[in-house]
Amino acid sequence: MSRKPIIAGNWKMNLLQEEAKELFLAVKGYIKDYTKEQLPIIVVAPTFTSIAAVESCRCNCGCREKLFTSAQNCHWESKGAYTGEISVEMAKDAGCDYIIIGHSERRQYFSETDEMINKKAKAILAGGLIPIICCGETLEQREAGETDNHIAGQIRAALDGLSEEDIAKSAIAYEPIWAIGTGKTCDADEANRVIAMIRNVVKEVSSAKAADSIRILYGGSVKPETIEEQMSKSDIDGALIGGASLKADSFISIIDKTMKLN
Ligand code: PGA
């Protein structure tokens, strides 16, 4: 089957409300000339404080079907005494259709575990949103030859207990940690190899159908100059982009190049 690519911008802890709106409006302006069939699925993940701001930029131009909003994290509980957290329902209420979970920065700086990421995935899917589940190895793990084992373990844990249908609609982002924000991209053939391995794990824990449907993105220093080669590979279904998603011209160029490859 052919999987529609996802181009997702992870804005991380950047952009004040007005800056977020400006970037969102630039993307919205670009996509208005194209149908949703022509475009990849476009997702932007602002900070929590800018979600409402970008949502206020929507009108009846049809952008809700082409340009989606994502949160960068959530809690798995629906409400309660969890200071500083937001629930899936809150993200949905703010306008999100997607939620990124398990980003390496959350694992590394906020001690998120595979078990927490699994609980988040379940809560997101139960709430009718789509998780973008991140995985990736450190440079030390890569050099020690542990990449495949480590990633397979992260994926097995994240998908534990999810139905075939839920897995099929989810997305995974393979982001080698050593390639995030460093300007070093993973060689496209190697990224494709790891992503094909992940797809195999999905097949093993779920089914061929789920493996065939799930979107698996590459992330780590994706730029307009790298996207064509990455998207030409058999198993890479899109990109999760940090730095290059913060500037309208580079993010739009990545969308444009992806669309033209379709
Ligand atoms: P980068 O970030 O594109 O700046 O490397 C990717 C990510 O962390 O999602």
Side-chain angles (χ1 to χ4, degrees):
M1 73 171 277
S2 76
R3 296 174 292 267
K4 195 171 179 60
I6 298 178
I7 297 297
N10 176 9
W11 295 353
K12 306 191 182 182
M13 196 172 75
N14 294 295
L15 309 179
L16 298 177
Q17 294 183 56
E18 285 309 312
E19 296 165 322
K21 274 161 94 171
E22 199 182 308
L23 180 52
F24 186 86
L25 285 170
V27 179
K28 189 175 160 220
Y30 166 79
I31 62 172
K32 77 173 183 333
D33 296 332
Y34 302 100
T35 63
K36 77 168 197 242
E37 287 72 29
Q38 287 173 302
L39 290 163
I41 295 168
I42 307 163
V43 180
V44 293
T47 54
F48 291 142
T49 52
S50 290
I51 291 173
V54 305
E55 285 300 312
S56 73
C57 299
R58 294 201 184 269
C59 57
N60 56 5
C61 65
C63 67
R64 198 164 279 291
E65 302 214 301
K66 307 183 208 170
L67 171 57
F68 299 91
T69 307
S70 174
Q72 298 175 14
N73 181 32
C74 68
H75 198 279
W76 56 88
E77 293 291 350
S78 56
K79 61 171 127 173
Y82 300 101
T83 303
E85 293 291 316
I86 71 148
S87 69
V88 173
E89 192 183 6
M90 288 168 183
K92 188 175 178 178
D93 184 46
C96 295
D97 286 293
Y98 289 77
I99 304 184
I100 297 169
I101 51 172
H103 192 281
S104 61
E105 288 150 16
R106 302 244 16 122
R107 295 180 190 253
Q108 190 183 345
Y109 307 135
F110 304 98
S111 308
E112 286 198 6
T113 63
D114 284 337
E115 194 195 349
M116 289 156 80
I117 291 153
N118 176 243
K119 286 192 205 163
K120 291 178 192 212
K122 285 178 177 154
I124 293 166
L125 288 156
L129 276 68
I130 300 174
I132 301 177
I133 304 163
C134 302
C135 62
E137 81 287 358
T138 62
L139 188 58
E140 296 71 49
Q141 286 166 327
R142 173 158 285 270
E143 284 172 350
E146 291 165 4
T147 299
D148 291 16
N149 261 348
H150 176 70
I151 306 280
Q154 288 184 320
I155 296 304
R156 282 199 189 94
L159 303 182
D160 188 45
L162 297 185
S163 68
E164 177 189 54
E165 197 191 332
D166 277 347
I167 293 176
K169 62 178 145 195
S170 298
I172 291 173
Y174 167 56
E175 301 202 301
I177 297 170
W178 48 271
I180 296 178
T182 58
K184 268 192 237 166
T185 37
C186 180
D187 173 75
D189 283 323
E190 173 57 11
N192 193 54
R193 186 195 68 74
V194 177
I195 288 175
M197 186 278 297
I198 295 172
R199 205 177 294 289
N200 232 358
V201 173
V202 175
K203 187 173 163 193
E204 222 179 82
V205 300
S206 185
S207 68
K209 194 166 151 220
D212 206 31
S213 304
I214 193 166
R215 251 73 58 104
I216 312 182
L217 321 182
Y218 167 76
S221 299
V222 173
K223 301 181 262 301
E225 303 78 57
T226 65
I227 191 72
E228 282 161 315
E229 194 190 359
Q230 287 154 345
M231 289 307 300
S232 71
K233 302 295 170 195
S234 60
D235 280 77
I236 302 182
D237 301 325
L240 181 58
I241 305 143
S245 74
L246 291 172
K247 293 250 171 351
D249 55 354
S250 49
F251 191 55
I252 289 169
S253 166
I254 290 170
I255 297 167
D256 192 66
K257 289 184 172 182
T258 303
M259 178 173 67
K260 291 183 176 146
L261 286 170
N262 261 348

